[in-house]
Amino acid sequence: RLAAFPATVYFPAGVEGVITVGASRADDSVAGFSNHGRGLSVSAPGVDVLSLAGADSTNVGGDLVGTDYLRLSGTSMAAPHASGVAALLLSSDPSLSTDEVRWHLELNADQLGYPGYEGQPWNPYHGWGRLNAARVFDTPPVTTRLNGQILPRHAFADTVLLSGPDALALEITSLATTPWRSTAPPWMQAS
């Protein structure tokens, strides 16, 4: 069982526009201390990550490796993986918007799955999957981003993601180069 750290409640993970990163272990399982929940974008290695030791690393914890390195665990070890991959992506194409960077990270991640979410593109424990630095440069699949009152999702062909009262307030952003069209009832048509 995972500790209760829903990503939409804690800050800065709960701040709008933040790419929330969960921590995974070397075997791709979710670290027990990881962020999880509706706001999770991707997961990245966050257990026993080799890090530089600072001048006063005695207060940090972790296992000392030689005199210059520590093995540390935490989402604070996972988030720099995503930041570094985002920086590489932006260095190759500085014109990318914040949303486009997010889509590259999320839609090119490797979905590891989670019990009860088999075959789903997103789950609350790995988000859109484990960050994949090699695939992040690939063009994301054509998708439409649906930001409901509760949960941002990507809608793929023949997928119904939101229904009921939460489906009434949607912000729609498309990666498609062709115009977006809907066969939804008139009350749900884009304005």
Side-chain angles (χ1 to χ4, degrees):
R1 180 129 168 94
L2 296 173
F5 296 114
T8 54
V9 176
Y10 289 89
F11 295 93
V15 174
E16 186 176 337
V18 168
I19 296 173
T20 303
V21 182
S24 61
R25 300 179 166 281
D27 65 359
D28 285 332
S29 63
V30 179
F33 55 79
S34 181
N35 292 322
H36 67 274
R38 292 179 282 180
L40 188 64
S41 289
V42 293
S43 62
V47 177
D48 288 332
V49 176
L50 194 61
S51 180
L52 286 171
D56 186 21
S57 294
T58 56
N59 298 333
V60 175
D63 297 326
L64 192 61
V65 178
T67 57
D68 298 326
Y69 299 95
L70 289 169
R71 288 202 177 275
L72 299 171
S73 298
T75 53
S76 55
M77 294 287 99
H81 284 90
S83 297
V85 171
L88 287 172
L89 183 62
L90 282 167
S91 72
S92 72
D93 186 353
S95 70
L96 292 174
S97 70
T98 303
D99 280 338
E100 289 169 326
V101 170
R102 175 187 299 276
W103 291 333
H104 275 270
L105 295 177
E106 292 176 349
L107 298 174
N108 290 321
D110 295 326
Q111 183 50 260
L112 305 169
Y114 196 83
Y117 296 91
E118 291 85 355
Q120 298 296 312
W122 181 91
N123 68 63
Y125 300 98
H126 288 291
W128 292 96
R130 183 190 6 86
L131 188 65
N132 185 326
R135 285 186 46 214
V136 77
F137 298 99
D138 294 351
T139 302
V142 172
T143 181
T144 299
R145 180 81 174 202
L146 304 173
N147 289 326
Q149 293 174 341
I150 293 182
L151 175 63
R153 295 286 191 162
H154 292 278
F156 297 91
D158 301 321
T159 302
V160 176
L161 294 171
L162 297 172
S163 62
D166 296 326
L168 296 178
L170 292 175
E171 174 189 320
I172 299 173
T173 312
S174 180
L175 280 179
T177 55
T178 57
W180 188 80
R181 58 192 168 123
S182 171
T183 56
W187 58 269
M188 194 173 166
Q189 292 294 326
S191 57

